[in-house]
């Protein structure tokens, strides 16, 4: 049938292969850099446990998988269930998933399908009772039927393809309401003002912790590195939300004391990079890692595995169920800068503002080969950045390690040019 | 200084507004008992029919009276009086801009009280659809035009005299505000002539609509208010301003979703820094609900009074996660 052995055929071998992929990366993240914050220990251990030792994902109640940031997690928590983000970054599963999608498809979608298809997949989400699949890009949309064919229950969360109009907003609010109904069916529980409020408070606290971390990265020279920041936000995919928040709060406290001590995690002259485009998802932290191994520092990002997932916060006017649910719906639609929507200007403006706020020297734009929406937005982003005199490196890549050598040469050259620019400016 | 600014930006706007609105309500509705008299050119519905308690008079009352003078007088010496009245009105208005609506107007305050009654009962609000909104928002200009043209018509003997002060006849302020000082005499239909019968019956109807409407729709009446239309015509040079820095805006729509007046531009417009729209009541809820530092702000004579901050947002949207403090 195909050349890739499936997990069904040889579970032990594959688990170890997948584990090795994670292990190598964690080793690089930990050992290649001096001065990792103490508080990162929690995250390093978490990833080792889940990815290398195959520990099951912790959850209370029903486990609900999500395939994109558009699924409102607060609703899932409110029904006493636990969300887990299924977007996968493993090359190993990317190869398995290649069976389902056409050759030139997005590795993220393939890897997600691959991990769902695999038997002893990591993260270990054996008890998945529902998958929420927001109808975002074509590839994710079409993945619904494939996941169903694998035996999963799938809820298509209908997302409008444009987000500007009032019609789109109302359509989406209705969509979110019917998702709540589906969850009620699934869990047999009721959505109440109190359980939703409690759920929203958990997420809001996590978001507040994330925002603090995000703001701390404005510090120049940098207080810590982007590879760690990505690891932190990647942990949000599957970690217990309260434990995650506490760990981030601890990290924040440590970074703050670093700040008062005048600690530098990167050289003063290290080019400050804003990372955008297709999301780096563990273990595919290839690109951010290469940047920082080459002496740059990722100080901010605009990706849906980090900033876009956690930054925007929900506003409620009247704490009644209807306004809370609509508020959640708005939060998951309106500020989103995902390229699947018709217009590019929100993303353009967001990038410009991040570049200014974080005193960025250059932008690195990652586009997964096969992720058409990011490929298509490339020009318009390049144009606005160029107009502001912000250099950008566009990198088309996938999950395979084959292009590492070539990428690192390009990145080094880019960072060099940024350094020269910086010097000339002074 | 920074600490004071942080405290202001972190204010619980809901509570602050409640007390300030209450203060102005007492001042304008009961101030008369304490000999408060702010004159008769107030840019807010401090109803003149509340004889005993009023702390000043709503400008629309003298305006209609003045315009109903015979044309000879109006276009003669009395014209100066009209101009002078208008100037006083404008001066008052320039200080607070539409802040008169968000913080001072007794009718506005009453609507907000009805809204909190509703939320306390756990009943949800209703909203207009976008199309309804675009059409309804024009009514206030129509009312403003009629409010000026009808008295002029009376002055020119084109219309019967008993139309008197046509807007006051149908204004819910006339029936509702005197009730707060125990005067229920306005709550009737005046059968003296055909016109007064029709107008006062209409007034009763509007009052009913006002009370019912405000229960389901936040600031129901303000959408139709001719005072608001008159305000908007003068709002450009006012001292209190609502400003937006579009570059900092993520278009998250948070401001729009809490806006009682359903003003979409507040979220969507990112080019024009002067963001105040004609329906705006300058309640500043949008500023309080914007999570992006400096995206929205209220300034007075160029000085920033209150601006959106991340910390302020988190505090106000609260629900128990304030143990973390920001470094900045
Ligand atoms: S790129 Fe857009 S559609 Fe894809 S996972 Fe991210 S947010 Fe979802
Ligand atoms: S009836 Fe209305 S318009 Fe007339 S004075 Fe009273 S509040 Fe003003
Ligand atoms: S718009 Fe509302 S608050 Fe403003 S004057 Fe009219 S009734 Fe009062
Ligand atoms: S709340 Fe602030 S960031 Fe959001 S749309 Fe309004 S002005 Fe923009
Ligand atoms: S735009 Fe802002 S100040 Fe104006 S009415 Fe809406 S929330 Fe209030």
């Amino acid at each position: 049938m195909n050349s890739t052995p499936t997990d069904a055929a040889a579970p032990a071998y594959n688990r170890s292969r997948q584990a090795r992929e994670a292990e190598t990366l964690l080793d690089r993240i930990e050992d290649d850099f001096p001065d990792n914050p103490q508080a990162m220990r929690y995250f390093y251990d978490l990833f080792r446990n889940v990815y290398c030792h195959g520990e099951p994902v912790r959850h209370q109640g029903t486990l609900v998988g999500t395939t994109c940031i558009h699924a409102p997690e607060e609703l899932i928590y409110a029904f006493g269930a636990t969300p887990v983000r299924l977007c996968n970054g493993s090359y190993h599963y990317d190869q398995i998933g290649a069976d389902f999608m056409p050759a030139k498809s997005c590795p993220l979608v393939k890897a997600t399908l691959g991990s769902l298809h695999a038997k002893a997949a990591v993260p270990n989400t054996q008890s998945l009772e529902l998958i929420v699949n927001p109808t975002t890009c074509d590839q994710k949309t079409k993945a619904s039927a494939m996941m169903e064919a694998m035996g999963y229950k799938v809820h298509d969360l209908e997302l409008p393809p444009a987000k500007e109009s009032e019609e789109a907003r109302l359509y989406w609010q209705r969509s979110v309401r019917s998702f709540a109904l589906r969850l009620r069916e699934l869990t047999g529980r009721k959505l109440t003002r109190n359980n939703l409020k409690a759920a929203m408070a958990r997420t809001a606290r996590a978001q507040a912790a994330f925002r603090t971390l995000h703001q701390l990265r404005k510090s120049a020279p940098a207080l810590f590195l982007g590879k760690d920041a990505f690891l932190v936000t990647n942990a949000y995919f599957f970690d217990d939300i309260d434990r995650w928040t506490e760990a981030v709060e601890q990290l924040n406290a440590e970074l703050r004391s670093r700040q008062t001590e005048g600690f530098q995690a990167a050289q003063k002259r290290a080019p400050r990079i804003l990372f955008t485009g297709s999301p780096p998802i563990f273990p595919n932290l290839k690109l951010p890692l290469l940047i920082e191994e080459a002496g740059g520092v990722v100080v901010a990002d605009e990706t849906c595995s980090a900033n876009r997932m956690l930054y925007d916060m929900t506003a409620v006017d009247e704490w009644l169920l209807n306004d809370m649910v609509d508020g959640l719906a708005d939060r998951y639609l309106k500020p989103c800068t995902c390229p699947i929507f018709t217009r590019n200007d929100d993303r353009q403006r967001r990038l410009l503002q991040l570049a200014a706020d974080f005193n960025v020297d250059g932008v690195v734009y990652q586009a997964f080969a096969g992720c058409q929406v990011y490929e298509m937005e490339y020009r318009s982003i390049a144009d606005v950045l160029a107009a502001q005199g912000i250099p950008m490196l566009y990198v088309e890549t996938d999950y395979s390690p084959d292009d590492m050598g070539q990428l690192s040469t390009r990145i080094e050259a880019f960072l060099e040019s940024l350094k020269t620019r910086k010097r000339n400016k002074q | 200084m920074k600490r004071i600014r942080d405290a202001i930006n972190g204010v619980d706007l809901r509570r602050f507004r409640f007390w300030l609105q209450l203060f102005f309500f007492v001042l304008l509705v009961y101030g008369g008992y304490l000999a408060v008299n702010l004159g008769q050119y107030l840019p807010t519905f401090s109803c003149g029919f509340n004889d005993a308690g009023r702390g000043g008079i709503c400008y629309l009352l003298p305006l209609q009276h003045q315009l109903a003078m015979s044309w000879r007088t109006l276009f003669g010496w009395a014209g100066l009086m009209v101009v002078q009245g208008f100037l006083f009105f404008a001066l008052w208005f320039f200080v607070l801009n539409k802040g008169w609506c968000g913080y001072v107007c007794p009718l506005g305050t009453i609507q907000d009280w009805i809204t909190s009654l509703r939320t306390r009962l756990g009943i949800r609000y209703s909203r207009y659809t976008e199309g309804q909104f675009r059409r309804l928002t024009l009514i206030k200009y129509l009312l403003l035009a009629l409010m000026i043209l009808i008295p002029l018509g009376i002055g020119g003997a084109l219309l019967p005299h008993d139309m008197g002060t046509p807007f006051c006849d149908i204004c819910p302020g006339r029936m509702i505000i005197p009730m707060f000082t125990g005067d229920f005499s306005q709550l009737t239909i005046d059968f003296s002539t055909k016109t007064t019968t029709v107008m006062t019956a209409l007034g009763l109807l509007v009052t009913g609509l006002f009370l019912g409407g405000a229960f389901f729709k936040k600031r129901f009446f303000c959408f139709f208010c001719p005072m608001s239309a008159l305000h908007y015509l003068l709002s450009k040079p006012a001292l209190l301003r609502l400003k937006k820095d579009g570059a900092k805006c993520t278009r998250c729509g948070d401001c729009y979703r809490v806006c009682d007046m359903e003003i979409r531009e507040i979220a969507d417009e990112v080019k024009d820094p002067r963001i105040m729209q004609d329906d705006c009541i300058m309640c500043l809820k949008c500023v309080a609900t914007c999570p992006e530092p400096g995206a929205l702000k209220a300034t007075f004579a160029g000085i920033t009074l209150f601006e959106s901050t991340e910390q302020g947002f988190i505090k106000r949207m609260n629900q128990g996660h304030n143990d973390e403090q920001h470094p900045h």
Side-chain angles (χ1 to χ4, degrees):
Chain A
M1 202 172 79
N2 66 69
S3 56
T4 325
T6 64
D7 283 18
Y13 167 69
N14 282 315
R15 219 199 63 66
S16 69
R17 230 189 98 175
Q18 149 50 267
R20 243 186 307 144
E21 192 183 343
E23 189 114 41
T24 324
L25 190 87
L26 282 169
D27 288 347
R28 267 171 79 201
I29 289 182
E30 275 192 67
D31 303 341
D32 289 5
F33 300 88
D35 322 315
N36 294 327
Q38 296 285 314
M40 280 306 295
R41 184 79 267 146
Y42 169 83
F43 296 99
Y44 300 149
D45 290 345
L46 177 73
F47 275 92
R48 285 200 195 273
N49 288 339
V50 171
Y51 276 84
C52 308
H53 309 142
E55 260 186 23
V57 168
R58 295 170 154 239
H59 63 100
Q60 287 158 349
T62 315
L63 191 63
V64 177
T66 64
T67 58
C68 172
I69 53 167
H70 285 106
E73 62 174 37
E74 291 92 333
L75 280 181
I76 300 173
Y77 284 124
F79 280 98
T82 306
V84 56
R85 173 115 173 251
L86 300 174
C87 297
N88 198 290
S90 154
Y91 180 46
H92 173 59
Y93 294 130
D94 173 19
Q95 286 169 303
I96 298 178
D99 272 1
F100 298 93
M101 301 290 278
K104 287 191 184 113
S105 319
C106 170
L108 190 158
V109 180
K110 282 188 288 182
T112 307
L113 287 170
S115 75
L116 286 169
H117 180 61
K119 275 272 152 51
V122 286
N124 179 349
T125 53
Q126 293 292 293
S127 45
L128 217 51
E129 288 189 48
L130 180 74
I131 296 176
V132 197
N133 192 38
T135 56
T136 56
C137 63
D138 288 356
Q139 304 185 46
K140 293 212 170 184
T141 306
K142 297 307 284 181
S144 270
M146 302 174 198
M147 295 186 285
E148 247 163 24
M150 293 176 195
Y152 293 98
K153 267 196 257 171
V154 181
H155 179 82
D156 293 321
L157 183 58
E158 290 177 33
L159 185 80
K163 57 170 192 156
E164 273 74 19
S165 71
E166 197 62 5
E167 285 83 357
R169 180 171 172 255
L170 297 176
Y171 173 80
W172 172 242
Q173 287 179 350
R174 274 201 295 274
S175 235
V176 168
R177 276 155 200 263
S178 51
F179 176 46
L181 287 181
R182 179 72 187 256
L183 286 170
R184 187 168 80 179
E185 243 169 62
L186 182 77
T187 59
R189 297 203 190 193
K190 264 185 80 178
L191 188 64
T192 68
R193 211 153 113 186
N194 285 337
N195 61 26
L196 186 55
K197 204 167 174 177
M200 288 173 73
R202 288 170 89 188
T203 301
R205 181 173 160 217
Q207 287 176 326
F210 170 78
R211 281 228 182 193
T212 306
L213 185 69
H214 178 68
Q215 304 293 4
L216 281 164
R217 294 170 81 187
K218 280 184 184 157
S219 224
L223 297 170
F224 84 129
L225 297 179
K227 48 117 191 162
D228 284 336
F230 274 121
L231 209 59
V232 168
T233 53
N234 270 220
Y236 194 76
F237 283 30
F238 57 86
D239 195 15
D240 175 83
I241 184 169
D242 302 322
R243 277 205 330 180
W244 181 91
T245 307
E246 272 157 37
V248 177
E249 283 167 358
Q250 258 172 35
L251 177 61
N252 290 340
E254 185 178 344
L255 295 180
R256 231 172 274 144
S257 59
R258 279 188 166 190
Q259 197 170 38
T260 40
E261 287 159 15
F263 180 92
Q264 308 186 0
Q267 281 187 331
K268 219 179 193 153
R269 244 173 254 118
R272 296 168 67 82
I273 301 295
L274 167 61
F275 194 100
T276 184
S278 304
I281 295 172
F282 187 87
N284 175 47
L285 299 183
K286 181 164 76 179
L287 204 48
L289 213 51
L290 282 176
I291 294 170
E292 296 192 330
E293 282 170 343
V297 51
V298 178
V299 291
D301 76 278
E302 187 279 317
T303 67
C304 63
S305 60
N307 195 343
R308 197 187 298 154
M309 169 173 68
L310 281 159
Y311 182 77
D312 296 299
M313 302 188 282
T314 312
V316 173
D317 186 27
E318 296 177 358
W319 290 87
L320 300 175
L321 212 44
N322 75 303
D323 200 42
M324 288 155 78
V325 176
D326 287 352
L328 279 176
D330 281 358
R331 174 254 182 268
Y332 283 92
L333 178 75
K334 297 300 281 186
C336 186
T337 47
C338 179
I340 49 134
F341 294 113
T342 44
R343 313 233 160 248
N344 312 355
D345 49 330
D346 279 351
R347 180 151 172 253
Q348 290 171 332
R349 292 186 315 107
R350 185 82 72 116
L351 284 170
L352 290 177
Q353 191 60 27
L354 282 169
D357 282 352
F358 286 78
N359 206 357
V360 155
D361 298 309
V363 175
V364 172
Y365 190 128
Q366 161 168 274
F368 289 150
C371 174
Q372 287 203 323
V373 280
Y374 277 114
E375 292 167 339
M376 286 187 285
E377 260 192 19
Y378 153 62
R379 267 196 88 90
S380 85
I381 299 292
D383 289 348
V384 290
L385 290 176
Q388 297 295 316
I390 305 167
M392 180 174 103
L393 176 70
Y394 177 72
V395 179
E396 195 185 299
T397 179
D398 54 23
Y399 284 4
S400 96
D402 299 346
D403 59 355
M404 292 260 271
Q406 175 237 339
L407 282 183
S408 86
T409 320
R410 281 183 69 198
I411 286 167
E412 274 160 24
F414 180 63
L415 295 180
E416 252 342 288
S417 75
L418 294 183
K419 279 191 200 153
T420 321
R421 256 175 75 101
K422 227 175 172 175
R423 235 176 287 133
N424 293 345
K425 259 193 209 159
Q426 282 168 358
Chain B
M1 193 58 208
K2 188 184 167 328
R3 196 165 301 159
I4 300 174
R5 223 181 304 132
D6 283 349
I8 293 176
N9 291 333
V11 73
D12 180 346
L13 188 78
R14 207 181 287 255
R15 201 175 299 159
F16 173 74
R17 263 188 89 205
F18 174 81
W19 288 108
L20 200 57
Q21 283 182 306
L22 185 66
F23 168 78
F24 281 118
F25 188 87
V26 172
L27 185 76
L28 295 180
V29 177
Y30 299 101
Y33 296 119
L34 302 168
V36 175
N37 185 0
L38 299 177
Q40 53 168 345
Y41 305 112
L42 295 184
T44 191
F45 282 174
S46 174
C47 187
F49 292 86
N50 172 23
D51 292 320
R54 67 190 187 204
I57 297 178
C58 159
Y59 174 60
L60 298 190
L61 183 63
L63 176 69
Q64 292 171 85
H65 274 308
Q66 288 171 345
L67 293 178
M69 285 183 292
S70 74
W71 284 7
R72 266 258 286 287
T73 347
L74 187 63
F75 296 115
W77 59 272
L80 278 177
M81 221 172 71
V82 179
V83 173
Q84 185 210 30
F86 187 76
L87 282 178
F88 274 119
F89 164 80
L91 277 178
W92 276 117
F93 175 74
F94 282 158
V95 184
L96 282 187
N97 201 349
K98 290 205 167 205
W100 284 99
C101 293
Y103 290 83
V104 185
C105 178
L107 270 195
T109 302
I110 292 171
Q111 292 177 82
D112 289 345
W113 290 343
I114 297 177
T115 295
S116 36
L117 175 71
R118 170 180 54 74
T119 46
R120 238 161 251 187
L121 294 174
I123 298 169
R124 51 165 302 165
Y125 55 73
S126 345
R127 288 176 78 90
Y128 294 128
T129 66
E130 207 185 353
Q132 286 169 333
F133 177 83
R134 300 277 163 224
R135 263 172 276 131
L136 291 176
T137 187
L138 299 175
I139 292 179
K140 60 180 173 297
Y141 292 104
L142 184 72
L143 287 176
L144 177 65
L146 288 176
M147 189 184 81
I148 290 168
L149 292 177
I150 294 176
L152 281 177
I154 297 169
L158 306 171
L159 288 166
H161 226 282
D162 50 7
M163 279 193 90
T165 46
F167 180 70
C168 288
D169 286 349
I170 62 162
C171 172
R174 181 175 63 85
M175 298 196 175
I176 292 171
I177 294 176
M179 288 200 278
F180 281 87
T181 55
D183 174 5
F184 293 83
S185 62
Q186 297 292 337
L187 214 58
T188 47
I189 296 179
D190 178 358
F191 288 106
S192 26
T193 66
K194 220 187 252 162
T195 327
T196 60
T197 311
V198 172
M199 292 302 277
T200 49
L202 212 56
L204 260 180
L205 182 73
V206 172
T207 302
L209 279 175
F210 173 91
L211 295 171
F215 190 78
F216 293 106
K217 175 85 195 73
K218 293 182 267 187
R219 290 278 180 152
F220 171 78
F221 179 73
C222 295
F223 287 87
F224 313 110
C225 177
M227 179 74 95
S228 159
L230 193 57
H231 281 172
Y232 188 60
L233 302 178
L234 301 175
S235 74
K236 282 269 137 53
L239 293 174
L240 186 67
R241 284 181 193 169
L242 185 61
K243 284 204 190 134
K244 177 162 181 181
D245 181 348
K248 296 186 171 136
C249 168
T250 61
R251 295 218 283 185
C252 66
D254 286 357
C255 50
Y256 165 54
R257 71 181 323 285
V258 303
C259 176
D260 292 353
M261 303 306 292
E262 304 190 21
I263 294 169
R264 258 186 84 183
E265 288 83 350
I266 191 71
D268 291 354
E269 173 63 55
V270 286
K271 298 216 170 71
D272 189 359
R274 309 202 55 176
I275 194 68
M276 204 186 81
Q277 306 294 313
D278 61 347
D279 284 307
C280 179
I281 52 171
M282 273 210 168
C283 59
L284 307 186
K285 273 171 83 178
C286 51
V287 182
T289 322
C290 172
E292 298 311 315
L296 290 176
K297 59 175 78 163
T299 64
F300 189 83
I303 302 159
T304 301
L305 289 184
F306 177 47
E307 68 177 333
S308 54
T309 56
E310 195 172 272
Q311 275 312 286
F313 176 93
I314 291 172
K315 212 166 135 200
R316 282 181 286 263
M317 284 305 145
N318 124 332
Q319 321 316 325
H321 53 268
N322 272 324
D323 16 323
E324 268 257 311
Q325 290 297 316
H326 267 274
H328 306 290

